[in-house]
mmCIF file of all heavy atoms in Angstrom:
data_model
loop_
_atom_site.group_PDB
_atom_site.id
_atom_site.type_symbol
_atom_site.label_atom_id
_atom_site.label_comp_id
_atom_site.label_asym_id
_atom_site.label_seq_id
_atom_site.Cartn_x
_atom_site.Cartn_y
_atom_site.Cartn_z
ATOM 1 N N MET A 1 4.451 45.334 -6.934
ATOM 2 C CA MET A 1 3.619 44.043 -7.126
ATOM 3 C C MET A 1 4.614 42.896 -7.289
ATOM 4 O O MET A 1 5.615 42.946 -8.017
ATOM 5 C CB MET A 1 2.776 44.311 -8.342
ATOM 6 C CG MET A 1 1.735 43.190 -8.532
ATOM 7 S SD MET A 1 0.609 43.618 -9.924
ATOM 8 C CE MET A 1 -0.431 42.151 -9.916
ATOM 9 N N ILE A 4 4.929 36.801 -10.233
ATOM 10 C CA ILE A 4 4.262 35.496 -10.067
ATOM 11 C C ILE A 4 5.139 34.447 -10.818
ATOM 12 O O ILE A 4 5.315 34.569 -11.971
ATOM 13 C CB ILE A 4 2.895 35.506 -10.695
ATOM 14 C CG1 ILE A 4 2.026 36.642 -10.040
ATOM 15 C CG2 ILE A 4 2.212 34.134 -10.430
ATOM 16 C CD1 ILE A 4 1.825 36.561 -8.587
ATOM 17 N N ASP A 6 5.578 31.267 -12.617
ATOM 18 C CA ASP A 6 4.669 30.461 -13.331
ATOM 19 C C ASP A 6 5.229 29.043 -13.496
ATOM 20 O O ASP A 6 6.054 28.827 -14.394
ATOM 21 C CB ASP A 6 4.326 31.082 -14.716
ATOM 22 C CG ASP A 6 3.211 30.350 -15.425
ATOM 23 O OD1 ASP A 6 2.936 29.200 -15.066
ATOM 24 O OD2 ASP A 6 2.638 30.979 -16.324
ATOM 25 N N LYS A 19 12.029 16.264 -23.925
ATOM 26 C CA LYS A 19 11.477 15.709 -25.138
ATOM 27 C C LYS A 19 12.591 15.660 -26.244
ATOM 28 O O LYS A 19 12.782 14.621 -26.892
ATOM 29 C CB LYS A 19 10.321 16.569 -25.628
ATOM 30 C CG LYS A 19 9.560 16.013 -26.769
ATOM 31 C CD LYS A 19 8.344 16.919 -27.081
ATOM 32 C CE LYS A 19 7.532 16.404 -28.237
ATOM 33 N NZ LYS A 19 6.334 17.246 -28.544
ATOM 34 N N SER A 65 2.031 0.862 -16.937
ATOM 35 C CA SER A 65 1.012 1.120 -15.844
ATOM 36 C C SER A 65 0.637 -0.141 -15.175
ATOM 37 O O SER A 65 0.165 -1.057 -15.873
ATOM 38 C CB SER A 65 -0.125 1.908 -16.393
ATOM 39 O OG SER A 65 -0.999 2.130 -15.337
ATOM 40 N N THR A 72 -4.705 -6.277 -3.013
ATOM 41 C CA THR A 72 -3.373 -6.812 -3.325
ATOM 42 C C THR A 72 -2.528 -6.926 -2.074
ATOM 43 O O THR A 72 -2.493 -6.030 -1.210
ATOM 44 C CB THR A 72 -2.622 -5.904 -4.395
ATOM 45 O OG1 THR A 72 -3.381 -5.775 -5.555
ATOM 46 C CG2 THR A 72 -1.259 -6.408 -4.661
ATOM 47 N N ASN A 128 22.842 9.816 -0.054
ATOM 48 C CA ASN A 128 23.739 10.393 -1.046
ATOM 49 C C ASN A 128 23.602 12.007 -1.041
ATOM 50 O O ASN A 128 24.527 12.643 -1.192
ATOM 51 C CB ASN A 128 23.420 9.849 -2.417
ATOM 52 C CG ASN A 128 24.022 8.387 -2.613
ATOM 53 O OD1 ASN A 128 24.911 8.031 -1.873
ATOM 54 N ND2 ASN A 128 23.439 7.673 -3.531
ATOM 55 N N GLY A 135 22.860 10.970 -6.871
ATOM 56 C CA GLY A 135 21.780 10.077 -6.574
ATOM 57 C C GLY A 135 20.576 10.839 -6.948
ATOM 58 O O GLY A 135 20.544 11.995 -7.204
ATOM 59 N N ARG A 150 15.364 29.277 -12.689
ATOM 60 C CA ARG A 150 14.866 29.671 -14.012
ATOM 61 C C ARG A 150 14.016 31.019 -13.889
ATOM 62 O O ARG A 150 13.671 31.595 -14.870
ATOM 63 C CB ARG A 150 14.023 28.629 -14.630
ATOM 64 C CG ARG A 150 14.839 27.364 -15.116
ATOM 65 C CD ARG A 150 14.047 26.343 -15.752
ATOM 66 N NE ARG A 150 14.853 25.229 -16.103
ATOM 67 C CZ ARG A 150 15.029 24.750 -17.304
ATOM 68 N NH1 ARG A 150 14.529 25.387 -18.373
ATOM 69 N NH2 ARG A 150 15.794 23.648 -17.523
ATOM 70 N N ARG A 179 23.173 22.985 -0.675
ATOM 71 C CA ARG A 179 24.017 22.566 -1.783
ATOM 72 C C ARG A 179 24.249 23.792 -2.732
ATOM 73 O O ARG A 179 25.268 23.884 -3.419
ATOM 74 C CB ARG A 179 23.406 21.412 -2.561
ATOM 75 C CG ARG A 179 24.349 20.749 -3.595
ATOM 76 C CD ARG A 179 23.795 19.409 -4.000
ATOM 77 N NE ARG A 179 22.721 19.537 -4.987
ATOM 78 C CZ ARG A 179 22.135 18.491 -5.581
ATOM 79 N NH1 ARG A 179 22.533 17.304 -5.274
ATOM 80 N NH2 ARG A 179 21.146 18.692 -6.436
ATOM 81 N N GLY A 216 0.710 37.555 5.673
ATOM 82 C CA GLY A 216 1.627 38.546 5.387
ATOM 83 C C GLY A 216 2.512 38.851 6.543
ATOM 84 O O GLY A 216 3.705 39.253 6.385
ATOM 85 N N ASN A 231 -4.004 22.095 -0.842
ATOM 86 C CA ASN A 231 -4.990 21.826 0.076
ATOM 87 C C ASN A 231 -6.367 22.213 -0.626
ATOM 88 O O ASN A 231 -6.421 22.803 -1.620
ATOM 89 C CB ASN A 231 -4.937 22.622 1.326
ATOM 90 C CG ASN A 231 -3.534 22.573 1.968
ATOM 91 O OD1 ASN A 231 -3.097 21.609 2.544
ATOM 92 N ND2 ASN A 231 -2.829 23.704 1.800
ATOM 93 N N CYS A 239 -5.984 25.350 -2.662
ATOM 94 C CA CYS A 239 -5.300 26.514 -2.115
ATOM 95 C C CYS A 239 -4.008 25.951 -1.591
ATOM 96 O O CYS A 239 -3.838 24.779 -1.416
ATOM 97 C CB CYS A 239 -6.143 27.210 -0.996
ATOM 98 S SG CYS A 239 -6.457 26.183 0.380
ATOM 99 N N ILE A 250 3.316 42.013 -0.302
ATOM 100 C CA ILE A 250 4.485 42.211 0.509
ATOM 101 C C ILE A 250 5.814 41.646 -0.148
ATOM 102 O O ILE A 250 6.822 42.289 -0.214
ATOM 103 C CB ILE A 250 4.391 41.605 1.931
ATOM 104 C CG1 ILE A 250 3.162 42.251 2.629
ATOM 105 C CG2 ILE A 250 5.587 41.688 2.725
ATOM 106 C CD1 ILE A 250 2.747 41.540 3.896
#
Side-chain angles (χ1 to χ4, degrees):
M1 191 173 178
I4 307 300
D6 189 339
K19 188 177 183 180
S65 182
T72 300
N128 284 339
R150 291 183 185 243
R179 192 165 78 178
N231 314 285
C239 66
I250 298 168

